[in-house]
Amino acid sequence: MEASRDTDYLPHDGPLREDVGRLGQLVGLMLAEQGGERFFERVEAVRQAAIHRRREGDPVPTLADALADLDTDQAEALARAFATYFQAVNIAERVHRIRRRRDYQREGGPPQPESLLDVLGRLKREGVGADELLGWLVRLWIEPVFTAHPTEAMRRSLLEKEQAIVRALVDGFDTGRTPQERAEDQDRIYMALSTGWQTAEASPVRPTVQDEHDHVGFYLSNPIYRIVPALYESLAGALQAVYGVATPLPRLLGFASWVGGDMDGNPNVGADTIAAALATQRAHVLERYIADVASLARLLSQTAGRVAVDPALTARLADYRERFPQAAARIRPRHADMPYRCLLTLIGARLEATGDNGAEGYASAAELLDDLQLIDHSLLGHCGLHAGAYAVRRLVWRVRTFGFHLARLDVRQDSRVHDDALAALLDDADWASRAAADRAAALSAYAAGNDRFAISHAEPVTALYDVFATLGDARRRYGSEAVGLYIISMARSAADVLAVLALARYGGLVQPAPRREGNSGGGPLWPDASNEARGSAPSPLLGEGRGEGATSRGTGNEAPASAPSPRRGEEAGDAIPLDIAPLFETVDDLKQAPATLRALLEDPVYRAHLRARGDRQWVMLGYSDSGKDGGTLASRWALQRAQVELLDVANEAGIHLAFFHGRGGSASRGGSRIAPALMSSPRGSVAGVLRVTEQGEVIHRKYGIRALALRNLEQTVSAVLRASLRPRAQEPREARWREQMEALAAHSRRHYRALVEREGFVDYFRTATPIDVVERMTLGSRPASRRSMRGVEDLRAIPWVFAWTQCRSIITGWYGLGSALEQGAATFGEQALADMARDWPFLANALDDVAMVLAKCDLDIAEAFSRLAGDLHAPFFAAIREEFARTRTWLLKLKGGDTLLADNPRLAVSIRLRNPYVDPMSLLTVDLLERWRAGGREDDALLRALVACVNGVSQGLQNTG
């Protein structure tokens, strides 16, 4: 436990202190009003006891005594009270980030660190010229991928209340606000807190896939949709300020989603949810476009007698009047001489027809872009740059980014499900156990389209048939960009990838092969990398966009047949329009990944497929399961080494390789600050492309507030540019460091595996953590384990990390590291380790992340949880406490400090602000957990109180799974 300091704020944090105090006071008033004075006094007594424990080092029982004798309702209310305090601190910190950003922009000093202005200036000082930079911009592709992984499930109504509090605090930045206006701000905050208190944090009903989609859609179609144009404007402004360059910008940003497409271990996801997700996303984005077009129509009121317009615009207006006579008839006669308004009104009518699948609707987003660019061109030609052109361009950027699909939908399935289907199709019960080379040879003819499967009505076959048929229909209906990657979980051989090709052909997911084979190399990884899609896509320059091609949209609403018949591909020369990404998840799979990729690229059938996809291959890297499998250091090193070796294989084969990073929110699952994470990556592994998962509380923290969403995207673009143009310098000692890290990672893994494989560990885990509560929480539609729970290997990484985080030991983020460092010092010398920690970004970033995890740990509270395990407590917790002390000691030695996070005071302050509120809820969880289990886990009231505690601790630590 890191003791609290008397000074809990940094020198420039006066406004943050005021906001925390102001919100805390309002929370206190609200609690007294809603729960009564005695309740508020009890909350305050517990809070003061927690603060005293931190500052004076009081033993845990002292604080536990303040929580004694609470009945179930009181316990739940107390947990919710502290969670509300967390909400106040979290909001105050987010608003302070907005304030600090404005301070940087206003003060005229150095630019804000990691901003576009800062990084472009740094690149220029490092010798990057304008031509080199612009050459990289057209290669940039950044794609956050939103998943439904259950680490947070805040109701939309609560999200909106939080945004109301943020707006009130931001309005308070204005020093000219009157006393009455400030009182109104206070009332708005108090109302949001009060109504939030009277609203359940989550529904007792487990969310459906559609509920998860609505949750992710809130971020995509609200804050993110709004700030995308501002990102491009910020980049253009930075280019002008640093390089004096004003140039059209390429599209460099898109979004993707797994919600509705992630079938791995989730029986609730399949062809029907894929179709529903794509239809819902299309409806959401069309609704946004219709509203924006109506807003532009109100803005562009230019009249024909005052300013001219392009003849092409006049002709388009006449054409649309004929095509949409009913909409044209609704235009008021007094607006008839306003050509832009009239055309935009009819564009809105065409968008409505698009949503209704009408014959006159837009066939693609490219057609809408053409209309908008026609307006933009006319405005520019007639003194309209400052008379509406900027507003039109903002919508242009949104259409380029979101198309008619909002976000690409990825699809994921376990390789074993594919094997089950193939076993049925081939009538081979032993299929999955056959050698990988034999399976690949057997699949070759089916994957190439030279042979066809017999009809099968087996359930695994019909389910996958429907999936691939739905993906084909989606491409025809929504355009090529609507469908993202097909990801294979537990991919271990080339046969696992050929299986997808064979099954895709069975489902009819084929199209004519592109005429031009091969790839000139060096180009960006477009969302759809096929030559066909690139050939039809508009230019990425401003005014033309990198949007969808003019792919025809299907007009039918046919559902995939439930009783499949095999679909023959087109004649010779057909292709499967699907980018297939093997996912390497465990440490051993990561070690074998280069051999797997080499075998895949040597397969003539797959190479033909890859040529049709532009010789571009995606590989997904699993941070979560590799961490659960081998511990944090072994996982990180396996991921680092795999990227280096996979790049070597790709370079030898002459293909372009891009990595899809399956990172979670916590450091235990690959979570890390974007700039150091990319700068510590292997050289050449970024190369202008970043595709990374975003989930749970991370989505909310990064994208829940517009200003912070913009800041996050700026930091991401900046980090990708810097890591691509000027990766870290060559280091002659790195070859030796890699050899030493191999030994450190192996020792760390052995020590970690010795713990999790020790007899009784699974029982210890299930009693010393609240995993049984986590499993019953209604966070997501997916089960907590892939199969029946036989051991740690069957538990998903998210509940694994979630449970260890809740009990405050968080062994998933550090266990095994201390022993490895101690052994490394004995073998290589302490100075050698210190040199690595100081000069090698890979190890430096790893240690920084571990320091953050250790700072959030509290082994005294973890011991209280551990005692719930009875006789298993003594042997297991002794090992945990010993390794924690060892890890902390070596971390401080190598970082040269006497306290954790001495080099990151902002994070240290953030954690200290929360500890007095986290600690009581953790101890309350211990008490409630013991009572709930003693009653056979049948008391629903106790479970509700436990869930309130778990939710509160999650908000306080800000990292769950």
Side-chain angles (χ1 to χ4, degrees):
M1 178 184 76
E2 295 295 299
S4 286
R5 302 171 184 173
D6 291 334
T7 304
D8 282 337
Y9 294 90
L10 300 181
H12 54 265
D13 281 354
L16 173 60
R17 181 197 296 270
E18 291 175 6
D19 281 349
V20 170
R22 175 185 177 191
L23 290 177
Q25 183 181 38
L26 288 174
V27 169
L29 290 172
M30 182 273 293
L31 293 175
E33 179 183 60
Q34 299 293 322
E37 285 294 335
R38 291 185 62 185
F39 170 63
F40 171 65
E41 290 169 1
R42 185 68 179 263
V43 172
E44 273 299 290
V46 172
R47 189 173 73 90
Q48 292 301 324
I51 293 172
H52 193 271
R53 171 185 176 251
R54 283 280 167 178
R55 289 186 170 166
E56 304 301 328
D58 293 345
V60 165
T62 303
L63 178 56
D65 289 343
L67 299 165
D69 304 323
L70 290 175
D71 63 30
T72 304
D73 290 340
Q74 290 172 329
E76 181 180 0
L78 188 72
R80 293 187 62 222
F82 279 103
T84 306
Y85 276 117
F86 284 138
Q87 180 190 23
V89 173
N90 291 343
I91 291 174
E93 285 191 335
R94 289 168 185 161
V95 168
H96 193 57
R97 288 183 61 196
I98 299 172
R99 182 186 291 111
R100 292 296 298 154
R101 177 178 171 84
R102 292 188 176 192
D103 288 345
Y104 275 107
Q105 294 170 339
R106 183 169 49 243
E107 289 167 358
Q112 186 175 16
E114 299 181 7
S115 67
L116 286 165
L117 203 58
D118 171 56
V119 170
L120 262 58
R122 181 180 303 183
L123 289 172
K124 185 177 182 180
R125 291 191 296 273
E126 293 174 352
V128 176
D131 289 342
E132 182 183 5
L133 177 63
L134 294 176
W136 270 99
L137 281 180
V138 298
R139 301 171 63 181
L140 228 60
W141 181 248
I142 295 166
E143 191 172 23
V145 182
F146 290 1
T147 77
H149 288 166
T151 58
E152 182 197 63
M154 184 183 290
R155 280 182 155 164
R156 178 167 179 165
S157 57
L158 294 178
L159 293 173
E160 291 169 344
K161 290 173 177 57
E162 181 178 286
Q163 290 185 338
I165 296 173
V166 169
R167 284 193 295 271
L169 291 174
V170 171
D171 286 346
F173 292 175
D174 180 4
T175 58
R177 288 182 79 74
T178 66
Q180 181 180 350
E181 289 171 330
R182 293 196 178 279
E184 291 171 354
D185 294 341
Q186 200 90 335
D187 290 343
R188 288 156 58 196
I189 295 172
Y190 194 72
M191 180 173 64
L193 290 171
S194 300
T195 54
W197 177 261
Q198 295 178 355
T199 304
E201 291 77 14
S203 169
V205 179
R206 184 171 293 277
T208 65
V209 176
Q210 185 61 46
D211 292 332
E212 292 172 336
H213 188 276
D214 290 342
H215 183 72
V216 168
F218 171 83
Y219 297 97
L220 283 169
S221 59
N222 285 282
I224 292 173
Y225 178 86
R226 288 298 171 200
I227 58 92
V228 159
L231 174 68
Y232 287 99
E233 291 162 4
S234 180
L235 178 57
L239 281 169
Q240 179 69 52
V242 176
Y243 286 96
V245 170
T247 185
L249 293 176
R251 175 189 171 198
L252 48 84
L253 177 69
F255 296 87
S257 171
W258 278 17
V259 183
D262 185 6
M263 300 178 288
D264 179 18
N266 191 343
N268 302 306
V269 177
D272 56 340
T273 61
I274 291 171
L278 289 167
T280 302
Q281 288 178 182
R282 179 183 178 86
H284 282 169
V285 78
L286 288 176
E287 180 182 358
R288 287 297 182 188
Y289 293 159
I290 290 169
D292 279 358
V293 164
S295 178
L296 283 175
R298 292 190 295 271
L299 174 67
L300 300 183
S301 58
Q302 289 91 332
T303 54
R306 291 291 181 92
V307 66
V309 299
D310 283 356
L313 188 141
T314 303
R316 183 71 51 87
L317 176 56
D319 175 46
Y320 276 24
R321 284 185 183 276
E322 292 184 6
R323 294 170 65 179
F324 303 99
Q326 291 181 339
R330 291 196 298 269
I331 297 175
R332 296 179 180 180
R334 60 186 297 184
H335 297 157
D337 61 345
M338 297 178 177
Y340 295 122
R341 177 172 290 183
C342 291
L343 179 57
L344 285 161
T345 300
L346 298 175
I347 288 172
R350 192 174 182 190
L351 281 168
E352 290 175 353
T354 305
D356 295 335
N357 290 319
E360 290 295 335
Y362 288 106
S364 71
E367 293 183 356
L368 173 59
L369 281 173
D370 185 60
D371 279 348
L372 296 174
Q373 288 157 0
L374 189 68
I375 295 171
D376 180 61
H377 187 271
S378 179
L379 286 167
L380 290 180
H382 300 90
C383 301
L385 178 63
H386 299 287
Y390 285 117
V392 174
R393 290 179 176 183
R394 288 194 140 219
L395 180 54
V396 165
W397 276 123
R398 290 178 179 129
V399 176
R400 285 183 188 159
T401 301
F402 300 107
F404 281 171
H405 58 281
L406 187 63
R408 293 204 293 161
L409 184 67
D410 284 357
V411 175
R412 182 171 73 139
Q413 185 55 282
D414 193 309
S415 62
R416 290 165 292 192
V417 175
H418 301 148
D419 284 338
D420 290 344
L422 290 168
L425 285 167
L426 297 169
D427 194 21
D428 182 355
D430 297 325
W431 171 259
S433 62
R434 300 194 184 281
D438 294 340
R439 285 185 286 128
L443 287 171
S444 181
Y446 299 104
N450 297 325
D451 203 349
R452 60 191 303 181
F453 293 114
I455 297 173
S456 172
H457 295 279
E459 192 280 331
V461 177
T462 58
L464 285 170
Y465 173 91
D466 288 349
V467 165
F468 288 111
T470 298
L471 293 178
D473 291 341
R475 286 179 59 88
R476 290 186 290 273
R477 183 169 300 176
Y478 304 128
S480 60
E481 280 199 40
V483 177
L485 305 184
Y486 192 102
I487 299 145
I488 309 170
S489 298
M490 296 298 172
R492 293 188 169 118
S493 70
D496 290 333
V497 182
L498 292 174
V500 174
L501 289 181
L503 291 166
R505 282 191 177 278
Y506 182 77
L509 183 57
V510 292
Q511 68 178 26
R515 297 178 182 176
R516 182 168 62 92
E517 292 189 347
N519 175 42
S520 57
L525 248 93
W526 307 126
D528 186 320
S530 68
N531 289 315
E532 173 269 328
R534 290 203 319 278
S536 65
S539 161
L541 296 182
L542 182 64
E544 298 170 61
R546 199 188 288 172
E548 295 174 274
T551 306
S552 297
R553 186 185 70 248
T555 57
N557 293 308
E558 305 83 13
S562 59
S565 58
R567 298 188 185 183
R568 189 76 171 175
E570 304 289 336
E571 301 300 324
D574 64 357
I576 296 171
L578 192 65
D579 291 319
I580 304 170
L583 166 55
F584 301 112
E585 300 181 76
T586 68
V587 172
D588 288 338
D589 289 349
L590 287 164
K591 287 182 178 178
Q592 296 301 317
T596 300
L597 181 62
R598 181 175 283 107
L600 186 61
L601 296 178
E602 289 173 352
D603 185 275
V605 173
Y606 190 75
R607 278 311 302 267
H609 167 75
L610 208 58
R611 280 194 295 273
R613 305 302 298 161
D615 272 334
R616 290 165 160 87
Q617 176 67 49
W618 286 98
V619 165
M620 185 171 181
L621 303 173
Y623 290 70
S624 302
D625 280 289
S626 60
K628 179 167 70 76
D629 172 50
T632 186
L633 187 63
S635 168
R636 283 174 177 261
W637 180 240
L639 289 158
Q640 186 88 351
R641 182 184 56 203
Q643 290 177 73
V644 172
E645 295 175 358
L646 286 166
L647 284 169
D648 288 342
V649 172
N651 290 334
E652 291 169 7
I655 68 157
H656 186 106
L657 181 68
F659 295 110
F660 176 15
H661 299 275
R663 294 181 181 269
S666 64
S668 303
R669 298 183 51 243
S672 186
R673 289 180 53 235
I674 186 66
L678 294 189
M679 289 306 293
S680 63
S681 298
R683 298 175 193 85
S685 64
V686 179
V689 176
L690 178 66
R691 199 176 202 261
V692 62
T693 52
E694 306 274 31
Q695 61 200 42
E697 77 280 355
V698 175
I699 297 176
H700 182 53
R701 189 167 65 244
K702 288 184 175 181
Y703 302 103
I705 299 172
R706 290 184 195 176
L708 299 187
L710 177 59
R711 167 69 171 158
N712 171 68
L713 290 176
E714 284 190 7
Q715 287 177 299
T716 302
V717 173
S718 298
V720 172
L721 278 172
R722 189 175 171 216
S724 301
L725 274 86
R726 290 296 182 267
R728 66 181 191 275
Q730 293 287 341
E731 169 56 70
R733 296 171 291 176
E734 198 163 320
R736 181 175 76 251
W737 289 342
R738 285 196 294 266
E739 292 179 3
Q740 294 171 342
M741 183 53 63
E742 193 74 29
L744 292 174
H747 186 87
S748 176
R749 187 186 187 193
R750 283 194 300 271
H751 197 73
Y752 173 84
R753 294 302 305 178
L755 177 72
V756 301
E757 291 176 353
R758 186 172 177 175
E759 185 178 357
F761 178 78
V762 172
D763 290 336
Y764 175 73
F765 166 65
R766 296 201 65 83
T767 50
T769 76
I771 181 60
D772 42 353
V773 178
V774 172
E775 289 172 334
R776 296 201 187 190
M777 293 175 69
T778 57
L779 286 174
S781 66
R782 191 169 69 164
S785 59
R786 287 184 169 90
R787 294 166 294 282
S788 59
M789 179 69 180
R790 298 189 303 271
V792 171
E793 66 274 9
D794 289 336
L795 187 71
R796 291 191 178 277
I798 291 174
W800 165 254
V801 175
F802 202 159
W804 285 113
T805 302
Q806 284 289 319
C807 75
R808 307 291 294 279
S809 65
I810 324 181
I811 67 168
T812 53
W814 54 266
Y815 197 91
L817 175 63
S819 292
L821 295 176
E822 185 174 74
Q823 179 65 31
T827 305
F828 312 122
E830 186 174 330
Q831 187 57 50
L833 289 185
D835 291 344
M836 291 171 67
R838 183 187 63 244
D839 298 333
W840 192 17
F842 166 76
L843 183 56
N845 187 49
L847 296 183
D848 284 345
D849 287 342
V850 171
M852 182 271 292
V853 175
L854 295 182
K856 292 185 177 183
C857 292
D858 189 316
L859 266 287
D860 293 335
I861 289 178
E863 183 175 10
F865 275 94
S866 182
R867 291 187 182 280
L868 296 174
D871 292 342
L872 293 173
H873 158 69
F876 281 105
F877 193 74
I880 290 172
R881 187 179 282 281
E882 180 183 356
E883 182 66 7
F884 179 88
R886 185 182 295 116
T887 302
R888 186 179 185 279
T889 296
W890 279 102
L891 199 70
L892 293 176
K893 279 186 179 182
L894 296 180
K895 293 177 70 67
D898 58 359
T899 59
L900 296 171
L901 301 179
D903 55 352
N904 193 343
R906 166 59 59 206
L907 181 57
V909 165
S910 179
I911 293 173
R912 288 200 302 272
L913 279 172
R914 289 168 174 77
N915 279 334
Y917 306 104
V918 180
D919 297 349
M921 283 195 293
S922 293
L923 293 175
L924 192 55
T925 304
V926 174
D927 176 58
L928 295 172
L929 199 56
E930 187 172 25
R931 289 155 57 185
W932 183 57
R933 289 172 178 170
R937 299 181 175 88
E938 295 180 355
D939 190 325
D940 289 341
L942 277 173
L943 179 60
R944 285 195 302 272
L946 278 164
V947 169
C949 289
V950 169
N951 283 331
V953 172
S954 299
Q955 288 190 43
L957 296 180
Q958 294 190 294
N959 288 122
T960 54

